[in-house]
Structures are given as structure tokens and as C-alpha cells.
Amino acid sequence: GRHSMLPRHVQRLGRDWITHWNGSQILALNSPVSSCVRWAGHYPPWASFPLPISADFSANWRFPPFFGPWRQFQNCNWHLDNYTQSCCFHLPNPSMKSEGEEPLTKKRRLSGQDDTSAPEQETDLSNQKEVSCLSVAQNGEKHGSKKGTIKRHWEYFCQQSKTMKIAKNKGSDQSSTGNEATFDFTVMSYNILSQNLLEDNSHLYKHCRQRLLFWTYRFPNILQEIKELDADVLCLQEVQEDHYRTEIKSSLESLGYHCEYKMRTGRKPDGCAICFKTSKFSLISSNPVEFFRRDIPLLDRDNVGLVLLLQPRFHCKANAAICIANTHLLYNPKRGDIKLTQLAMLLAEIASVAPQKDGSFCPIIICGDFNSVPGSPLYKFIKEGKLNYEGLAIGKVSGQEQFPRGQRILSIPIWPKTLGISQNCVYEIKQQQKEENAGEKLEAAKPDNPQEIVIASEKLSSKLRHHFKLSSVYSHYFPETGIPEVTTCHSRSAVTVDYIFYSAANDDTAAQPGAEDSFCGGLKLLGRLALLTEKDLWTVNGLPNENNSSDHLPLLAEFRLVER
């Protein structure tokens, strides 16, 4: 009497308990008995249809013969557990399509997982209380043990270039160090997943419980993460403008941050933000970068960047400065030409902001979602400062696809001369004034001004360069196992696309090879918050999940400003 009447086709189920519901194949098991079989971390709670089963079901049940690829089961944890509110096996649906994208089965090859599908909407509204969002505090009270939480440990780099684990709450306050010549600070890069983009790409989050995807549930979790990690500088991507205006900005200001924001151009409702603690820094300049150019057909995308010049407080040198840049490059794996051009525009802005009076650059940190994987041509260009792109296919620039579809070769040069940026990624001509209105006329640079950057006309060359010697905070692979680190994980893939790059000091033992000849002074990497593997993340049902409310992990590093 406690179960509602079942649909007729469910009543006709045989011993394999297989049904088609709303065009999706699901196997639902629900029983008042004390034990059942569940697939850890991979079942959604929606649309479970009550089926009476015997008390010895868990001992007698067998796999349906056509349940799906055996490889999918080899990577999963099967175990008996106490009866849960709903138990649902989610089966592949090869007819599933995504709007404006290639078939899911093709993109899922990257992650080594099979495609899954789900009903478009929940038809069972009986669990209305479960759908209602809980605050972080309520969640902590209801799930006090936080069973689905994965601990991320802190890796500290000592002088011998070894790592050691330290307590989550570090006891020493490094901001008040006794040595006035040092200045320690932390930087976070975090793609917080715009709610608008989440809803437009719902096919990426079929593995998630519906209630976990509401902004009213997600934002308290994200804010709690920011509070706990307590970074001195935040570089946030996919910050939705209306959420920023109504709650994000005020919430961060109440935590002691000053916020600078650049919204994407066109109709895109999100953007990039850099927030810094006013107790640690003061703002020298804020420089937004728009990658859309109406007069250049190549640059027809609405991505943006933001470059701040900050002055540290409590430092012995009055003119010390740190350049912080944040960006979110184009996603499209087939348009490596646009990605490289957007990156060149960001580097050119940094090159115009970061020079000091003696001609050298101040320390630089570049954060963001670069939509490129480690080892790709774009990644190597950032790290090595040079790239010969002759004969390079545009689909291979970012390395996002194992079998790239964009086979067109990059043109030489990639961007037109009218962009005003040389192959060395600096402005060929300098703007006399910087106003908010786009399309402002450019004025030829005066040769007697040492601040201005003037580059002579170059012959057609397929070699890109930039002037910064940059290292990556993360090594992208776990040294003990060689397993890749992951910064984003959803229904389609689990890869690294988020980075923190920095200009390493000469004595920085954590810097990768190639950064040792960096200019005098710079940043020393003191520590970082360790990343996770794809396997780790799927133990808590990937991202987003109950405790991590973005499909990206926050990156966090601690630096020391080294005197020149």
C-alpha cells in the first residue's frame, strides 16, 4: 500500500528488471529490505520506480546479459550497503544526442568511460523535500561525517626540492614573518561553473543529483570552499554577472577582498574576476582584455582576460609590484588559431603592464582555464616561451582531442597585422589612452619614452615567442604512479585544463627545467594544494558533487616574493 501503482510496462518486467522509461534505459531497484546492491557513486536519485523484491534479492540477483560494456564494471566498486532512499542503475543510451556537439560516444573516448543518458526531467515529484536545497550548515548537520568528502593535502616544498605533508591548518602566520625582506602570499585559481553554462550544457551533468545543481545549493558550498582555503588572491572564472552583482561581490568583500571583474562581451553572461585581500595588497592598476575584435574575422569570440598590478603591503621596497593575470580561453578544440591569438593578446597586455623602471618585468602570475591539456603546443608555448607552428593543425593546438577533427593547417601568420601584436606577443604600437570604449584609435609610439614597446616590422615567420620565463605550479602527473592529475571532471571527460603559471626566482627549487635562467628576482613556490586523480573523483560521483559544487577543482599555491 505504500507504493504507487506501477506503469503497465513495468509490471510486465521479467527477472532481469529491465525497462525503458522516457526513452532512456534504466534499471531501478527499490525495496523496504535492509540490504541491496548499489553501484557506488554512479547512481542518480531521480526517477526510481518502487519495485517489490524479496529479502534475499541481493544474493540471487544477477547481471542482465546486455547491461553494457564489461569495461564499465571493471572500473566500479560493487558492494552491499544499507538500504538507501533510491537505487538506480544508469544504462547507456546510444541514441543520446547533444545540441551543437558531436555524438557523446565520440567525446567520451577521452575519459575512457561509456556514454550515459538520463530522463530529461523528473516525473516523480514525491521527494519534494530532497529537491529543496540545503545550506552548507544544514548539510553538515545532516551528514556530519561527510562521507563523500575527499581530503586534499598540502604539499610543502623544502630547500631539498622534496615534498612533505603538513597539517591542513598551518600554524605559522607567514604574513607576519620576522624577515622584512620576504613577503608570502597565496593565490587560488577556480572555475566556479556559471549557472547559465551549467543549464545550457546539462548533458555534462547527467551523473549528478538534480538538487545539487541548483545555484542556491552550489553558492554556499563555493563560498565555504573560499573561506576555508583563505587565499590572499582569487582568480575566478565563469563568474555569472547577475550573481556577481547580487551576492558574490558582497560576500567576498565581507571576507576582506577587493574585487575587480570583467564580463564577457556579446550576450555571454559570465566573466573573470580577480579578488585580493586589502590587508595584503593595494591596487595599482586594473586592465581588462577583450578578445573580440569587430574588424578581425578571426576574433569573433567573446572570451576575456583581466590583468591587475598589485603592490604588496608590509614590504621593504616601496616600488615592489606583482602582476596577476586571469583568463578563460575559448573551449572549441577545433579552433587552435583563436586560442593562440587570445593567448598572445593576454601576454601583450601583461608585457605592457609588468615592465619596471629598469626595463625588467615584475613577478608575474597567470591563472585561468586555458582549455588545453599538459604537453599540448599551447601549453609548451607558455612554458618554453617559443613555438614553431609551421605545419601544425589547428585541431592539435590544445590537445583536447585524441583524434582531432580540425585538420586545417595554421596560417602564417596566425593573426593579421591589423591586430597590432607582433610574433613576440607585445604591442607593436602603444595606445595613447586607455578608455573603456572599444575601437579606440591607436597612436604611434614615441621612441623617447622607455615605457613604450615598439617592434620593427618582421618578416613572415612561423615562430611565436614571449619574454616571460614561466613555470607551472603543478607537475600534472603524480610522481609515484605517473597517473595524471585532474582539474575538471564531468560526464564526458576528466583532464587538466586549469593552471597557475608564475615567473620563478633563480633559487626556486620547485621550478621546472627551463626556468632557471629567469630574470633576477621573482617568486619562490613554497607549497600547493594537491590535486586528485580521476579515480579519486569518481569515488564521490565526479564533479559537481555534494561537497564540491563546481565541475572544476580549485588550484591553490603559496609563493614568496624574492628580492632582486
Side-chain angles (χ1 to χ4, degrees):
R2 69 178 230 150
H3 299 304
S4 59
M5 182 174 293
L6 300 176
R8 183 172 300 174
H9 68 283
V10 178
Q11 297 176 7
R12 295 197 299 264
L13 291 177
R15 60 198 243 171
D16 288 329
W17 306 83
I18 301 298
T19 183
H20 292 266
W21 185 264
N22 287 344
S24 296
Q25 300 166 324
I26 59 173
L27 171 62
L29 309 172
N30 198 349
S31 160
V33 299
S34 60
S35 298
C36 70
V37 175
R38 72 179 175 91
W39 186 4
H42 286 268
Y43 63 91
W46 39 254
S48 60
F49 308 104
L51 299 176
I53 57 179
S54 61
D56 61 345
F57 168 80
S58 60
N60 296 331
W61 185 83
R62 64 179 180 83
F63 291 122
F66 54 94
F67 189 74
W70 177 247
R71 182 182 62 180
Q72 192 166 0
F73 291 97
Q74 291 176 315
N75 297 329
C76 303
N77 294 324
W78 288 86
H79 59 276
L80 296 175
D81 199 358
N82 293 332
Y83 173 75
T84 54
Q85 186 172 2
S86 65
C87 300
C88 177
F89 293 111
H90 193 184
L91 295 181
N93 182 2
S95 63
M96 181 74 177
K97 293 182 180 179
S98 58
E99 298 182 4
E101 295 285 347
E102 65 276 7
L104 293 181
T105 52
K106 184 173 181 180
K107 290 202 82 172
R108 289 296 291 261
R109 291 175 191 151
L110 289 178
S111 62
Q113 297 177 348
D114 294 294
D115 179 28
T116 57
S117 64
E120 293 181 1
Q121 293 180 347
E122 296 184 34
T123 57
D124 184 4
L125 300 179
S126 61
N127 296 327
Q128 196 69 29
K129 291 182 180 179
E130 185 180 17
V131 175
S132 64
C133 299
L134 300 174
S135 68
V136 173
Q138 290 171 324
N139 270 337
E141 185 177 345
K142 185 176 179 181
H143 308 285
S145 60
K146 289 206 171 186
K147 186 176 179 181
T149 303
I150 294 183
K151 296 286 186 180
R152 293 175 62 187
H153 66 274
W154 187 265
E155 295 178 338
Y156 180 79
F157 293 94
C158 61
Q159 293 183 355
Q160 287 75 24
S161 197
K162 297 180 180 179
T163 59
M164 54 180 288
K165 295 181 180 180
I166 63 173
K168 181 179 179 181
N169 296 324
K170 292 172 287 183
S172 60
D173 183 6
Q174 295 175 346
S175 63
S176 59
T177 178
N179 186 357
E180 293 183 353
T182 63
F183 179 80
D184 298 352
F185 63 100
T186 53
V187 176
M188 176 197 290
S189 181
Y190 194 9
N191 182 326
I192 64 173
L193 180 57
S194 158
Q195 189 67 21
N196 182 272
L197 292 176
L198 182 155
E199 294 169 2
D200 288 347
N201 298 276
S202 58
H203 54 276
L204 299 178
Y205 311 107
K206 293 297 185 182
H207 63 285
C208 300
R209 296 184 180 186
Q210 189 67 29
R211 69 180 180 90
L212 305 184
L213 300 180
F214 297 137
W215 178 249
T216 49
Y217 181 95
R218 295 176 55 234
F219 177 62
N221 266 356
I222 292 171
L223 187 61
Q224 184 64 26
E225 270 189 300
I226 292 174
K227 285 182 179 179
E228 290 178 354
L229 295 177
D230 195 30
D232 298 316
V233 180
L234 306 174
C235 291
L236 306 178
Q237 305 89 41
E238 292 193 20
V239 180
Q240 193 163 307
E241 192 274 337
D242 57 336
H243 293 156
Y244 174 80
R245 177 170 28 87
T246 58
E247 51 189 338
I248 296 177
K249 185 173 186 286
S250 58
S251 297
L252 294 179
E253 287 177 342
S254 68
L255 298 177
Y257 291 97
H258 171 84
C259 302
E260 293 289 324
Y261 178 72
K262 175 56 184 173
M263 184 178 172
R264 285 209 279 172
T265 52
R267 298 180 179 179
K268 305 298 183 180
D270 65 288
C272 294
I274 300 180
C275 313
F276 60 90
K277 286 190 174 179
T278 55
S279 61
K280 299 278 287 194
F281 297 96
S282 60
L283 180 65
I284 299 176
S285 67
S286 178
N287 308 272
V289 185
E290 295 183 356
F291 298 143
F292 174 82
R293 294 294 175 89
R294 196 179 308 276
D295 57 334
I296 300 178
L298 174 68
L299 297 174
D300 60 350
R301 307 306 167 96
D302 295 309
N303 306 82
V304 295
L306 185 60
V307 181
L308 299 191
L309 194 62
L310 302 179
Q311 182 170 4
R313 300 186 187 272
F314 314 115
H315 197 263
C316 61
K317 289 193 64 172
N319 60 348
I322 299 175
C323 180
I324 309 286
N326 184 23
T327 191
H328 188 179
L329 299 185
L330 177 71
Y331 165 76
N332 193 338
K334 297 184 292 184
R335 296 307 304 267
D337 50 347
I338 299 179
K339 292 174 189 277
L340 282 173
T341 306
Q342 291 180 346
L343 177 61
M345 296 172 71
L346 180 71
L347 294 174
E349 184 65 25
I350 295 173
S352 70
V353 170
Q356 301 184 107
K357 292 183 178 181
D358 60 0
S360 64
F361 292 109
C362 70
I364 296 167
I365 297 175
I366 307 178
C367 300
D369 181 344
F370 291 81
N371 277 313
S372 302
V373 302
S376 64
L378 187 143
Y379 173 87
K380 289 182 178 179
F381 174 53
I382 297 174
K383 286 281 300 296
E384 299 173 4
K386 57 185 178 180
L387 173 66
N388 188 348
Y389 60 86
E390 184 176 4
L392 179 61
I394 60 174
K396 294 183 178 180
V397 169
S398 64
Q400 291 166 279
E401 294 183 328
Q402 187 175 359
F403 305 102
R405 294 159 292 150
Q407 297 301 325
R408 182 166 60 86
I409 303 301
L410 287 169
S411 61
I412 303 177
I414 299 175
W415 57 81
K417 195 172 182 60
T418 54
L419 181 60
I421 296 177
S422 74
Q423 297 288 288
N424 289 329
C425 297
V426 295
Y427 291 126
E428 290 184 318
I429 52 179
K430 188 176 179 64
Q431 295 177 348
Q432 184 67 22
Q433 293 179 335
K434 289 189 175 181
E435 299 178 355
E436 294 182 358
N437 298 332
E440 186 181 10
K441 292 185 178 181
L442 300 179
E443 195 174 316
K446 299 178 181 180
D448 57 344
N449 190 337
Q451 293 282 343
E452 296 172 347
I453 302 174
V454 183
I455 304 297
S457 59
E458 302 171 345
K459 296 180 180 179
L460 292 180
S461 172
S462 61
K463 296 180 180 180
L464 293 180
R465 296 183 182 276
H466 67 74
H467 297 294
F468 316 119
K469 307 294 192 306
L470 300 173
S471 287
S472 172
V473 164
Y474 291 90
S475 54
H476 316 310
Y477 296 90
F478 290 93
E480 301 85 2
T481 61
I483 297 176
E485 297 172 337
V486 165
T487 67
T488 180
C489 179
H490 49 65
S491 293
R492 285 192 171 181
S493 65
V495 293
T496 286
V497 294
D498 307 277
Y499 303 93
I500 301 178
F501 298 104
Y502 69 103
S503 52
N506 289 340
D507 62 343
D508 184 11
T509 56
Q512 286 84 11
E516 292 86 352
D517 59 344
S518 176
F519 43 76
C520 296
L523 299 170
K524 183 178 179 65
L525 180 61
L526 299 180
R528 66 191 179 195
L529 185 64
L531 288 170
L532 301 171
T533 67
E534 178 181 1
K535 183 179 179 181
D536 291 334
L537 287 172
W538 280 118
T539 63
V540 290
N541 202 33
L543 296 172
N545 57 52
E546 196 160 319
N547 299 296
N548 309 99
S549 288
S550 173
D551 58 349
H552 292 247
L553 291 173
L555 280 59
L556 180 65
E558 183 174 17
F559 298 101
R560 172 167 294 169
L561 180 61
V562 178
E563 290 285 8
R564 295 191 302 162

